[in-house]
Protein backbone atom coordinates (compact mmCIF):
# COMPACT_ATOMS: atom_id res chain seq x y z
CA UNK A 1 0.00 0.00 0.00
CA UNK A 2 1.16 3.60 -0.48
CA UNK A 3 3.51 5.05 2.11
CA UNK A 4 2.91 8.25 4.05
CA UNK A 5 5.31 10.07 1.70
CA UNK A 6 2.99 9.31 -1.20
CA UNK A 7 0.33 11.50 0.42
CA UNK A 8 2.25 14.47 -0.98
CA UNK A 9 -0.07 15.75 -3.75
CA UNK A 10 2.80 16.31 -6.19
CA UNK A 11 4.21 12.82 -5.69
CA UNK A 12 0.76 11.27 -5.96
CA UNK A 13 0.15 13.05 -9.27
CA UNK A 14 3.63 12.03 -10.46
CA UNK A 15 2.91 8.37 -9.68
CA UNK A 16 -0.53 8.44 -11.31
CA UNK A 17 0.56 8.91 -14.91
CA UNK A 18 -1.91 11.78 -15.23
CA UNK A 19 0.70 14.50 -16.01
CA UNK A 20 1.68 12.61 -19.17
CA UNK A 21 -1.99 12.87 -20.24
CA UNK A 22 -2.22 16.59 -19.42
CA UNK A 23 -0.92 19.46 -21.55
CA UNK A 24 -0.49 20.53 -25.17
CA UNK A 25 0.41 17.78 -27.66
CA UNK A 26 3.72 19.52 -28.42
CA UNK A 27 4.34 20.79 -24.89
CA UNK A 28 5.56 19.37 -21.59
CA UNK A 29 3.43 17.24 -19.27
CA UNK A 30 1.66 19.36 -16.67
CA UNK A 31 1.08 18.72 -12.98
CA UNK A 32 -2.65 19.17 -12.32
CA UNK A 33 -4.00 21.28 -9.47
CA UNK A 34 -5.64 19.82 -6.39
CA UNK A 35 -5.43 16.55 -4.51
CA UNK A 36 -7.42 14.07 -6.59
CA UNK A 37 -4.52 11.60 -6.75
CA UNK A 38 -4.12 11.69 -2.95
CA UNK A 39 -7.88 11.26 -2.54
CA UNK A 40 -7.75 8.23 -4.83
CA UNK A 41 -5.07 6.67 -2.64
CA UNK A 42 -7.07 7.33 0.51
CA UNK A 43 -10.11 5.66 -1.03
CA UNK A 44 -8.03 2.65 -2.07
CA UNK A 45 -6.76 2.41 1.50
CA UNK A 46 -10.35 2.27 2.77
CA UNK A 47 -11.16 -0.51 0.30
CA UNK A 48 -7.99 -2.38 1.29
CA UNK A 49 -8.97 -2.19 4.96
CA UNK A 50 -12.58 -3.22 4.35
CA UNK A 51 -11.45 -6.18 2.24
CA UNK A 52 -8.99 -7.29 4.93
CA UNK A 53 -6.10 -6.76 2.53
CA UNK A 54 -7.62 -8.67 -0.40
CA UNK A 55 -7.70 -5.61 -2.67
CA UNK A 56 -4.25 -4.17 -3.28
CA UNK A 57 -4.37 -1.34 -5.79
CA UNK A 58 -2.75 2.09 -5.94
CA UNK A 59 -5.68 4.46 -6.24
CA UNK A 60 -3.51 7.12 -7.89
CA UNK A 61 -2.44 4.69 -10.62
CA UNK A 62 -6.06 3.74 -11.31
CA UNK A 63 -6.72 7.31 -12.47
CA UNK A 64 -4.60 6.84 -15.58
CA UNK A 65 -4.76 3.14 -16.27
CA UNK A 66 -7.23 3.23 -19.17
CA UNK A 67 -4.69 5.24 -21.19
CA UNK A 68 -2.11 2.54 -20.50
CA UNK A 69 -4.39 0.20 -22.49
CA UNK A 70 -5.50 2.62 -25.21
CA UNK A 71 -2.30 4.60 -25.72
CA UNK A 72 -4.13 7.92 -25.31
CA UNK A 73 -1.89 10.97 -25.06
CA UNK A 74 -2.28 14.58 -23.98
CA UNK A 75 -4.12 16.72 -26.49
CA UNK A 76 -4.66 20.07 -24.81
CA UNK A 77 -8.19 21.33 -25.42
CA UNK A 78 -9.17 17.98 -26.96
CA UNK A 79 -9.66 15.14 -24.50
CA UNK A 80 -7.15 12.27 -24.79
CA UNK A 81 -9.90 10.01 -26.12
CA UNK A 82 -10.81 12.57 -28.77
CA UNK A 83 -14.52 13.01 -28.01
CA UNK A 84 -14.33 16.08 -25.74
CA UNK A 85 -13.42 19.71 -26.42
CA UNK A 86 -12.88 22.86 -24.41
CA UNK A 87 -14.41 25.85 -26.17
CA UNK A 88 -14.16 29.56 -25.28
CA UNK A 89 -17.44 31.15 -24.18
CA UNK A 90 -18.30 34.81 -23.70
CA UNK A 91 -17.45 34.62 -19.99
CA UNK A 92 -15.04 31.67 -19.70
CA UNK A 93 -14.92 28.16 -21.14
CA UNK A 94 -17.23 25.21 -21.64
CA UNK A 95 -16.44 21.50 -21.86
CA UNK A 96 -18.43 19.43 -24.35
CA UNK A 97 -18.42 15.75 -25.32
CA UNK A 98 -19.46 14.26 -28.66
CA UNK A 99 -19.25 10.55 -27.91
CA UNK A 100 -22.63 9.09 -28.87
CA UNK A 101 -23.98 8.49 -32.40
CA UNK A 102 -26.72 11.10 -31.94
CA UNK A 103 -24.43 13.75 -30.46
CA UNK A 104 -23.53 15.60 -33.71
CA UNK A 105 -27.24 16.24 -34.33
CA UNK A 106 -27.76 17.34 -30.71
CA UNK A 107 -24.82 19.73 -30.90
CA UNK A 108 -26.19 21.08 -34.17
CA UNK A 109 -29.52 21.69 -32.47
CA UNK A 110 -27.75 23.51 -29.66
CA UNK A 111 -25.92 25.70 -32.17
CA UNK A 112 -29.14 26.07 -34.19
CA UNK A 113 -27.45 24.94 -37.40
CA UNK A 114 -27.23 21.94 -39.70
CA UNK A 115 -23.79 20.49 -38.99
CA UNK A 116 -23.51 17.09 -40.66
CA UNK A 117 -20.88 14.88 -39.06
CA UNK A 118 -18.66 17.74 -37.83
CA UNK A 119 -20.47 19.91 -35.29
CA UNK A 120 -17.40 21.63 -33.87
CA UNK A 121 -17.06 24.76 -36.08
CA UNK A 122 -20.72 25.70 -35.65
CA UNK A 123 -20.68 24.89 -31.95
CA UNK A 124 -17.53 26.90 -31.32
CA UNK A 125 -19.06 29.87 -33.10
CA UNK A 126 -22.28 29.65 -31.05
CA UNK A 127 -20.50 29.14 -27.72
CA UNK A 128 -18.24 32.14 -28.36
CA UNK A 129 -21.24 34.44 -28.39
CA UNK A 130 -22.98 33.06 -25.31
CA UNK A 131 -22.31 32.69 -21.59
CA UNK A 132 -21.55 29.48 -19.73
CA UNK A 133 -24.97 29.65 -18.08
CA UNK A 134 -26.68 29.92 -21.46
CA UNK A 135 -24.77 26.91 -22.68
CA UNK A 136 -25.66 24.95 -19.52
CA UNK A 137 -29.35 25.63 -19.97
CA UNK A 138 -29.46 24.56 -23.62
CA UNK A 139 -27.28 21.51 -22.92
CA UNK A 140 -29.64 20.43 -20.15
CA UNK A 141 -32.73 20.85 -22.31
CA UNK A 142 -31.23 18.97 -25.26
CA UNK A 143 -29.42 16.23 -23.33
CA UNK A 144 -25.98 17.38 -24.45
CA UNK A 145 -23.03 16.11 -22.41
CA UNK A 146 -21.19 19.21 -21.28
CA UNK A 147 -21.07 22.18 -18.96
CA UNK A 148 -19.45 25.49 -18.25
CA UNK A 149 -16.00 25.19 -16.67
CA UNK A 150 -16.20 26.34 -13.05
CA UNK A 151 -14.10 29.40 -12.27
CA UNK A 152 -12.16 29.42 -9.00
CA UNK A 153 -14.95 31.16 -7.12
CA UNK A 154 -17.50 28.60 -8.36
CA UNK A 155 -15.67 25.51 -7.12
CA UNK A 156 -17.00 25.47 -3.51
CA UNK A 157 -20.58 25.42 -4.80
CA UNK A 158 -19.69 22.70 -7.30
CA UNK A 159 -18.27 20.59 -4.45
CA UNK A 160 -21.48 20.63 -2.42
CA UNK A 161 -22.84 17.13 -1.96
CA UNK A 162 -19.47 15.39 -2.29
CA UNK A 163 -19.36 12.16 -0.28
CA UNK A 164 -16.56 10.37 1.53
CA UNK A 165 -16.63 6.99 3.29
CA UNK A 166 -17.37 7.26 6.98
CA UNK A 167 -17.88 5.11 10.03
CA UNK A 168 -16.61 1.53 9.95
CA UNK A 169 -15.42 -0.31 6.84
CA UNK A 170 -17.31 -3.53 6.10
CA UNK A 171 -16.50 -6.68 4.18
CA UNK A 172 -18.55 -7.37 1.05
CA UNK A 173 -17.32 -10.94 0.69
CA UNK A 174 -20.14 -13.17 -0.54
CA UNK A 175 -22.53 -10.28 -1.16
CA UNK A 176 -24.54 -10.06 -4.38
CA UNK A 177 -23.82 -6.93 -6.44
CA UNK A 178 -26.23 -6.13 -9.27
CA UNK A 179 -24.52 -3.74 -11.66
CA UNK A 180 -26.63 -1.71 -14.10
CA UNK A 181 -23.79 0.66 -14.94
CA UNK A 182 -21.75 1.09 -18.10
CA UNK A 183 -18.51 2.65 -19.38
CA UNK A 184 -16.02 3.24 -16.52
CA UNK A 185 -17.08 4.68 -13.14
CA UNK A 186 -19.73 2.10 -12.22
CA UNK A 187 -17.86 -0.88 -13.69
CA UNK A 188 -14.74 0.15 -11.74
CA UNK A 189 -16.84 0.19 -8.57
CA UNK A 190 -18.17 -3.28 -9.39
CA UNK A 191 -14.66 -4.51 -10.25
CA UNK A 192 -13.28 -3.41 -6.88
CA UNK A 193 -16.19 -5.00 -5.03
CA UNK A 194 -15.59 -8.18 -7.00
CA UNK A 195 -11.91 -8.16 -6.03
CA UNK A 196 -13.10 -7.85 -2.42
CA UNK A 197 -15.06 -11.09 -2.75
CA UNK A 198 -18.51 -9.99 -3.89
CA UNK A 199 -20.45 -11.81 -6.58
CA UNK A 200 -21.08 -9.35 -9.41
CA UNK A 201 -23.93 -9.72 -11.91
CA UNK A 202 -23.86 -7.22 -14.77
CA UNK A 203 -27.31 -6.38 -16.15
CA UNK A 204 -27.92 -4.97 -19.63
CA UNK A 205 -30.95 -4.64 -21.88
CA UNK A 206 -31.09 -5.84 -25.50
CA UNK A 207 -31.61 -2.25 -26.64
CA UNK A 208 -28.61 -0.84 -24.78
CA UNK A 209 -25.55 -2.95 -24.17
CA UNK A 210 -22.58 -1.37 -22.43
CA UNK A 211 -20.84 0.90 -24.97
CA UNK A 212 -17.49 -0.03 -23.42
CA UNK A 213 -17.84 -3.44 -25.09
CA UNK A 214 -16.87 -1.64 -28.30
CA UNK A 215 -13.80 -0.08 -26.70
CA UNK A 216 -10.44 -1.52 -25.71
CA UNK A 217 -10.99 -5.25 -25.19
CA UNK A 218 -8.32 -5.74 -22.52
CA UNK A 219 -9.58 -2.81 -20.47
CA UNK A 220 -13.12 -4.16 -20.66
CA UNK A 221 -11.87 -7.59 -19.57
CA UNK A 222 -9.97 -6.00 -16.70
CA UNK A 223 -13.11 -4.41 -15.25
CA UNK A 224 -15.54 -7.26 -15.99
CA UNK A 225 -13.48 -10.42 -15.71
CA UNK A 226 -15.05 -13.00 -13.40
CA UNK A 227 -18.47 -11.34 -13.41
CA UNK A 228 -21.75 -12.79 -14.65
CA UNK A 229 -23.77 -11.27 -17.49
CA UNK A 230 -27.55 -11.02 -17.63
CA UNK A 231 -29.56 -9.47 -20.48
CA UNK A 232 -33.24 -8.81 -19.79
CA UNK A 233 -35.84 -6.78 -21.65
CA UNK A 234 -38.03 -4.71 -19.30
CA UNK A 235 -40.62 -4.40 -22.08
CA UNK A 236 -41.33 -8.13 -21.66
CA UNK A 237 -43.48 -8.66 -18.54
CA UNK A 238 -41.74 -11.86 -17.42
CA UNK A 239 -38.29 -10.33 -17.84
CA UNK A 240 -39.40 -7.14 -16.08
CA UNK A 241 -40.49 -9.33 -13.15
CA UNK A 242 -37.11 -11.08 -13.27
CA UNK A 243 -35.34 -7.72 -13.01
CA UNK A 244 -37.34 -6.91 -9.90
CA UNK A 245 -36.59 -10.31 -8.35
CA UNK A 246 -32.86 -9.94 -9.08
CA UNK A 247 -32.67 -6.49 -7.50
CA UNK A 248 -34.71 -7.73 -4.55
CA UNK A 249 -32.04 -10.41 -3.96
CA UNK A 250 -29.14 -7.95 -4.23
CA UNK A 251 -27.12 -6.67 -1.30
CA UNK A 252 -25.69 -3.82 -3.39
CA UNK A 253 -27.06 -2.20 -6.55
CA UNK A 254 -24.97 0.05 -8.80
CA UNK A 255 -26.60 2.41 -11.27
CA UNK A 256 -24.89 5.07 -13.37
CA UNK A 257 -27.77 6.78 -15.13
CA UNK A 258 -30.39 9.28 -14.11
CA UNK A 259 -32.89 7.75 -11.62
CA UNK A 260 -35.76 7.88 -14.09
CA UNK A 261 -34.04 5.22 -16.22
CA UNK A 262 -34.48 2.42 -13.67
CA UNK A 263 -37.83 3.82 -12.53
CA UNK A 264 -38.88 3.23 -16.13
CA UNK A 265 -38.06 -0.45 -15.52
CA UNK A 266 -40.33 -0.45 -12.47
CA UNK A 267 -37.36 -0.28 -10.07
CA UNK A 268 -37.66 2.35 -7.35
CA UNK A 269 -34.50 2.74 -5.26
CA UNK A 270 -36.48 3.88 -2.20
CA UNK A 271 -38.35 0.56 -2.09
CA UNK A 272 -35.18 -1.50 -2.01
CA UNK A 273 -33.24 0.79 0.34
CA UNK A 274 -36.12 0.52 2.80
CA UNK A 275 -35.62 -3.23 2.64
CA UNK A 276 -31.92 -3.00 3.53
CA UNK A 277 -30.23 -2.72 0.13
CA UNK A 278 -27.17 -0.53 -0.41
CA UNK A 279 -27.93 1.50 -3.53
CA UNK A 280 -25.02 3.26 -5.23
CA UNK A 281 -26.12 5.92 -7.70
CA UNK A 282 -23.44 7.54 -9.87
CA UNK A 283 -24.54 10.54 -11.92
CA UNK A 284 -22.89 13.50 -13.59
CA UNK A 285 -24.11 16.05 -11.03
CA UNK A 286 -26.31 14.27 -8.51
CA UNK A 287 -29.70 12.54 -8.57
CA UNK A 288 -31.53 15.87 -8.46
CA UNK A 289 -29.85 17.13 -11.63
CA UNK A 290 -30.78 16.51 -15.26
CA UNK A 291 -27.17 17.08 -16.30
CA UNK A 292 -25.67 14.60 -18.77
CA UNK A 293 -21.92 14.12 -18.68
CA UNK A 294 -18.91 11.96 -19.38
CA UNK A 295 -15.69 11.83 -17.39
CA UNK A 296 -13.79 14.48 -19.36
CA UNK A 297 -16.45 17.19 -19.53
CA UNK A 298 -17.61 16.54 -15.95
CA UNK A 299 -14.10 16.94 -14.51
CA UNK A 300 -13.49 20.13 -16.47
CA UNK A 301 -16.86 21.60 -15.53
CA UNK A 302 -16.01 20.94 -11.87
CA UNK A 303 -12.96 23.16 -12.32
CA UNK A 304 -10.26 20.51 -12.74
CA UNK A 305 -8.29 21.91 -15.67
CA UNK A 306 -4.61 22.63 -16.25
CA UNK A 307 -3.70 26.05 -17.61
CA UNK A 308 -0.99 27.87 -19.49
CA UNK A 309 -0.90 31.29 -21.13
CA UNK A 310 -3.16 30.04 -23.94
CA UNK A 311 -5.91 28.85 -21.61
CA UNK A 312 -7.24 25.68 -19.97
CA UNK A 313 -6.63 22.06 -20.95
CA UNK A 314 -8.14 18.74 -19.98
CA UNK A 315 -6.61 16.91 -17.02
CA UNK A 316 -6.00 13.23 -17.66
CA UNK A 317 -8.31 10.80 -19.41
CA UNK A 318 -11.93 11.09 -18.19
CA UNK A 319 -10.56 11.41 -14.67
CA UNK A 320 -13.99 11.94 -13.08
CA UNK A 321 -14.80 8.32 -13.91
CA UNK A 322 -12.10 6.46 -11.96
CA UNK A 323 -12.24 8.93 -9.05
CA UNK A 324 -16.01 8.45 -8.80
CA UNK A 325 -15.70 4.67 -9.20
CA UNK A 326 -13.24 4.51 -6.31
CA UNK A 327 -15.52 6.73 -4.23
CA UNK A 328 -18.56 4.58 -5.00
CA UNK A 329 -16.76 1.35 -4.05
CA UNK A 330 -15.53 2.82 -0.76
CA UNK A 331 -19.04 4.04 0.09
CA UNK A 332 -20.49 0.61 -0.69
CA UNK A 333 -18.01 -0.79 1.83
CA UNK A 334 -19.29 1.38 4.70
CA UNK A 335 -21.04 -0.42 7.54
CA UNK A 336 -24.74 0.48 7.70
CA UNK A 337 -25.97 -2.21 10.09
CA UNK A 338 -29.29 -3.70 9.06
CA UNK A 339 -30.39 -0.46 7.41
CA UNK A 340 -30.15 0.23 3.72
CA UNK A 341 -28.30 3.20 2.26
CA UNK A 342 -28.61 5.37 -0.81
CA UNK A 343 -25.25 6.80 -1.86
CA UNK A 344 -25.77 9.72 -4.25
CA UNK A 345 -22.37 10.03 -5.97
CA UNK A 346 -22.13 13.23 -8.00
CA UNK A 347 -19.13 12.94 -10.28
CA UNK A 348 -18.86 16.72 -10.54
CA UNK A 349 -18.93 17.25 -6.76
CA UNK A 350 -16.50 14.36 -6.23
CA UNK A 351 -13.92 16.09 -8.46
CA UNK A 352 -14.59 19.64 -7.22
CA UNK A 353 -14.03 18.56 -3.61
CA UNK A 354 -10.38 17.77 -4.42
CA UNK A 355 -9.51 21.27 -5.68
CA UNK A 356 -7.58 23.85 -3.68
CA UNK A 357 -5.68 27.09 -4.21
CA UNK A 358 -2.19 25.57 -4.14
CA UNK A 359 -0.14 26.30 -7.30
CA UNK A 360 1.10 23.27 -9.20
CA UNK A 361 4.84 22.96 -9.89
CA UNK A 362 6.22 22.69 -13.40
CA UNK A 363 7.94 19.73 -15.01
CA UNK A 364 11.27 19.70 -16.84
CA UNK A 365 13.08 17.19 -18.98
CA UNK A 366 15.98 15.27 -17.45
CA UNK A 367 17.49 13.08 -20.16
CA UNK A 368 14.78 10.63 -21.23
CA UNK A 369 12.48 11.38 -18.32
CA UNK A 370 10.34 14.21 -17.01
CA UNK A 371 10.83 15.32 -13.42
CA UNK A 372 9.29 17.82 -11.05
CA UNK A 373 9.80 18.93 -7.46
CA UNK A 374 7.80 19.23 -4.28
CA UNK A 375 8.08 21.30 -1.13
CA UNK A 376 7.75 18.01 0.78
CA UNK A 377 10.63 16.26 -0.98
CA UNK A 378 14.22 17.44 -1.36
CA UNK A 379 14.98 15.37 -4.46
CA UNK A 380 13.58 15.28 -8.01
CA UNK A 381 10.34 13.38 -8.57
CA UNK A 382 10.00 11.44 -11.80
CA UNK A 383 6.71 11.59 -13.67
CA UNK A 384 5.62 7.99 -14.19
CA UNK A 385 3.81 6.83 -17.29
CA UNK A 386 0.27 5.42 -16.91
CA UNK A 387 0.46 2.00 -15.28
CA UNK A 388 -0.92 -1.09 -16.97
CA UNK A 389 -2.93 -3.69 -15.03
CA UNK A 390 -3.70 -6.77 -17.09
CA UNK A 391 -6.95 -8.75 -16.88
CA UNK A 392 -6.74 -12.08 -15.10
CA UNK A 393 -9.93 -13.65 -16.46
CA UNK A 394 -12.36 -13.31 -19.35
CA UNK A 395 -15.39 -11.04 -19.36
CA UNK A 396 -18.64 -12.79 -20.24
CA UNK A 397 -20.39 -12.10 -23.55
CA UNK A 398 -23.80 -10.41 -23.28
CA UNK A 399 -26.41 -12.59 -21.56
CA UNK A 400 -24.19 -15.63 -21.07
CA UNK A 401 -25.47 -16.23 -17.53
CA UNK A 402 -29.09 -15.11 -17.84
CA UNK A 403 -30.67 -18.56 -17.57
CA UNK A 404 -28.40 -19.67 -14.74
CA UNK A 405 -28.95 -16.52 -12.70
CA UNK A 406 -32.73 -16.71 -13.14
CA UNK A 407 -32.70 -20.40 -12.21
CA UNK A 408 -30.91 -19.47 -9.01
CA UNK A 409 -33.79 -17.12 -8.24
CA UNK A 410 -36.32 -19.90 -8.86
CA UNK A 411 -37.36 -18.45 -12.21
CA UNK A 412 -37.13 -19.56 -15.83
CA UNK A 413 -36.70 -17.39 -18.87
Amino acid sequence: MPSDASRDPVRAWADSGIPHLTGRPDGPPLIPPGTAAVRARELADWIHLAADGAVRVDGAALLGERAAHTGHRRSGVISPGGSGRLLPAADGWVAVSCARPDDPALLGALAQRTVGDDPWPALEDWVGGHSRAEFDERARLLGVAGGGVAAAGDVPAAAQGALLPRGTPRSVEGMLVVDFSALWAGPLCAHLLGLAGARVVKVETPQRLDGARRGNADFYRLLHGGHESVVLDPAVPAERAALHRLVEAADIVIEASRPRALRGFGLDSAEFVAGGTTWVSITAAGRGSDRIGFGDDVAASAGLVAEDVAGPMFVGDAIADPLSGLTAAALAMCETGSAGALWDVSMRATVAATLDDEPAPTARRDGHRWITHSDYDSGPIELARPTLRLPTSDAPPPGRDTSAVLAGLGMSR
Side-chain angles (χ1 to χ4, degrees):
M1 297 306 291
S3 66
D4 290 341
S6 66
R7 293 302 187 273
D8 169 16
V10 176
R11 181 168 289 280
W13 279 126
D15 293 344
S16 71
I18 293 298
H20 281 284
L21 303 172
T22 305
R24 308 285 172 191
D26 55 353
L30 299 179
I31 314 298
T35 60
V38 169
R39 176 65 50 78
R41 281 184 161 162
E42 292 169 345
L43 293 164
D45 282 355
W46 179 280
I47 294 166
H48 176 80
L49 180 63
D52 197 23
V55 183
R56 305 183 67 87
V57 295
D58 180 355
L62 293 188
L63 299 180
E65 72 176 3
R66 186 173 73 169
H69 287 273
T70 63
H72 289 160
R73 299 178 182 274
R74 58 185 179 274
S75 299
V77 296
I78 300 175
S79 63
S83 63
R85 304 257 177 128
L86 288 167
L87 303 175
D91 63 344
W93 292 76
V94 302
V96 193
S97 292
C98 184
R100 301 165 295 182
D102 294 339
D103 279 341
L106 290 175
L107 294 177
L110 192 152
Q112 300 175 308
R113 296 187 193 175
T114 301
V115 298
D117 293 331
D118 183 8
W120 295 116
L123 184 64
E124 184 171 7
D125 182 62
W126 186 93
V127 168
H130 294 80
S131 68
R132 291 173 296 155
E134 289 174 303
F135 173 84
D136 286 348
E137 178 62 16
R138 288 188 61 78
R140 183 185 65 80
L141 290 172
L142 292 167
V144 166
V149 176
D154 303 327
V155 169
Q160 290 184 3
L163 299 176
L164 288 174
R166 60 176 185 264
T168 305
R170 69 165 179 174
S171 171
V172 296
E173 186 172 2
M175 290 188 180
L176 173 60
V177 175
V178 173
D179 177 23
F180 286 97
S181 70
L183 301 179
W184 192 358
L188 175 59
C189 172
H191 166 66
L192 294 168
L193 296 178
L195 291 180
R199 174 192 176 194
V200 179
V201 176
K202 182 178 183 67
V203 180
E204 299 164 281
T205 68
Q207 299 81 9
R208 180 169 289 186
L209 298 178
D210 186 348
R213 290 185 180 275
R214 302 188 298 271
N216 183 274
D218 281 342
F219 187 63
Y220 187 86
R221 288 175 56 217
L222 174 66
L223 296 188
H224 296 87
H227 298 178
E228 297 166 72
S229 173
V230 165
V231 174
L232 292 169
D233 188 347
V236 178
E239 297 190 18
R240 188 183 182 95
L243 277 173
H244 194 281
R245 181 76 67 84
L246 180 58
V247 173
E248 195 173 46
D251 299 290
I252 299 170
V253 174
I254 303 168
E255 65 168 335
S257 55
R258 288 174 291 180
R260 69 187 187 197
L262 289 191
R263 283 201 295 265
F265 297 173
L267 301 172
D268 185 350
S269 59
E271 171 192 346
F272 298 101
V273 170
T277 303
T278 295
W279 195 282
V280 181
S281 175
I282 307 171
T283 59
R287 289 173 66 83
S289 171
D290 286 332
R291 162 79 188 272
I292 297 290
F294 295 102
D296 290 304
D297 64 82
V298 168
S301 75
L304 181 55
V305 291
E307 295 194 61
D308 62 12
V309 294
M313 292 159 281
F314 284 107
V315 167
D317 172 29
I319 194 170
D321 275 298
L323 186 62
S324 298
L326 277 160
T327 300
L331 292 169
M333 299 176 82
C334 289
E335 182 61 63
T336 60
S338 59
L342 172 60
W343 298 112
D344 182 0
V345 181
S346 161
M347 295 170 66
R348 185 170 187 257
T350 297
V351 173
T354 67
L355 296 176
D356 56 32
D357 297 327
E358 293 296 318
T362 58
R364 62 182 177 86
R365 187 177 288 281
D366 179 40
H368 296 293
R369 62 178 186 164
W370 287 95
I371 61 173
T372 188
H373 67 279
S374 168
D375 292 339
Y376 299 93
D377 199 315
S378 59
I381 300 172
E382 183 173 357
L383 303 185
R385 298 279 179 178
T387 302
L388 186 72
R389 278 193 309 143
L390 294 174
T392 58
S393 57
D394 285 332
R400 183 196 66 184
D401 307 293
T402 304
S403 296
V405 169
L406 293 188
L409 295 171
M411 304 181 72
S412 60
R413 191 166 187 181

